[in-house]
């Protein structure tokens, strides 16, 4: 991914103007939603150090296997509750799509965030669709759902 590409979080900004400064540590998320977007993008680019560093210590796993992170695309923020600059807790409900086992899955989660020492952390979340609903099987010769315009077999496919 180049810095001029649209940010994977679907903010409408370029990667360099949106999530890259947070993931690289040059900037901190000022809202729970900004942290949510940057964590989603970190999953897309498989930056496990950022994911672990922004996970609250009370719920953080010991490790994340980057090789097991599936191909994420298509984040949609459904709603936010609190999580602003003057808040210490926030909630972000989102839907995200993932390509796994040649199928498109939807993850719908309500995530909880906590701010400590002016830094936001992901605490945990509740899945609203479990197991994720299968929307389509992806054919090798169809356009890739990631939005690249390429055929699936030449892009995100096996």
């Amino acid at each position: 991914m180049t810095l001029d590409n649209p940010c994977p979080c679907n903010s409408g900004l370029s990667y360099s103007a949106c999530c890259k400064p947070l993931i690289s540590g040059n900037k901190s998320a000022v809202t729970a939603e900004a942290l949510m977007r940057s964590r989603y993008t970190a999953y897309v680019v498989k930056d496990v150090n950022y994911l672990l560093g922004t996970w609250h210590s009370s719920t953080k796993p010991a490790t994340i296997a980057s090789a097991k992170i599936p191909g994420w695309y298509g984040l949609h923020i459904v709603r936010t509750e609190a999580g602003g600059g003057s808040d210490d807790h926030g909630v972000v409900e989102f839907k995200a799509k993932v390509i796994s086992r040649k199928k498109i899955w939807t993850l719908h989660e309500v995530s909880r965030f906590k701010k400590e020492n002016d830094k936001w952390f992901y605490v945990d979340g509740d899945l609203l669709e479990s197991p994720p609903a299968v929307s389509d099987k992806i054919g090798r010769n169809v356009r890739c759902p990631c939005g690249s315009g390429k055929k699936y077999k030449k892009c995100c496919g096996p």
Side-chain angles (χ1 to χ4, degrees), residues 3-155:
L3 296 177
D4 292 330
N5 283 355
C7 193
C9 79
N10 288 334
S11 65
L13 300 172
S14 69
Y15 178 55
S16 63
C18 191
C19 290
K20 178 62 176 169
L22 279 70
I23 293 171
S24 66
N26 294 328
K27 187 177 169 186
S28 293
V30 295
T31 65
E33 181 180 342
L35 182 65
M36 170 62 228
R37 289 181 178 278
S38 66
R39 284 179 53 81
Y40 169 83
T41 299
Y43 274 106
V44 171
V45 300
K46 300 184 181 200
D47 190 321
V48 296
N49 290 330
Y50 183 76
L51 292 168
L52 291 170
T54 56
W55 210 309
H56 194 267
S57 60
S58 66
T59 57
K60 178 170 48 174
T63 62
I64 298 173
S66 64
K68 297 196 179 216
I69 297 174
W72 290 95
Y73 75 96
L75 177 67
H76 170 68
I77 302 295
V78 176
R79 70 178 176 89
T80 61
E81 184 179 304
S86 61
D87 298 316
D88 61 358
H89 287 83
V91 172
V92 179
E93 179 180 350
F94 70 93
K95 291 183 179 182
K97 296 196 183 264
V98 62
I99 300 172
S100 180
R101 297 183 207 126
K102 298 183 185 179
K103 294 186 180 182
I104 301 171
W105 304 81
T106 299
L107 172 72
H108 187 179
E109 182 177 308
V110 176
S111 297
R112 285 175 286 282
F113 297 85
K114 184 175 183 178
K115 187 165 65 171
E116 293 179 348
N117 300 319
D118 288 327
K119 186 174 178 184
W120 283 102
F121 294 93
Y122 168 76
V123 178
D124 61 14
D126 296 321
L127 292 177
L128 298 182
E129 293 177 17
S130 183
V134 176
S135 52
D136 287 314
K137 182 171 182 178
I138 305 171
R140 291 174 42 80
N141 289 313
V142 299
R143 296 271 177 228
C144 190
C146 77
S148 68
K150 299 176 184 176
K151 289 184 178 181
Y152 177 66
K153 68 182 177 185
K154 298 273 185 182
C155 189

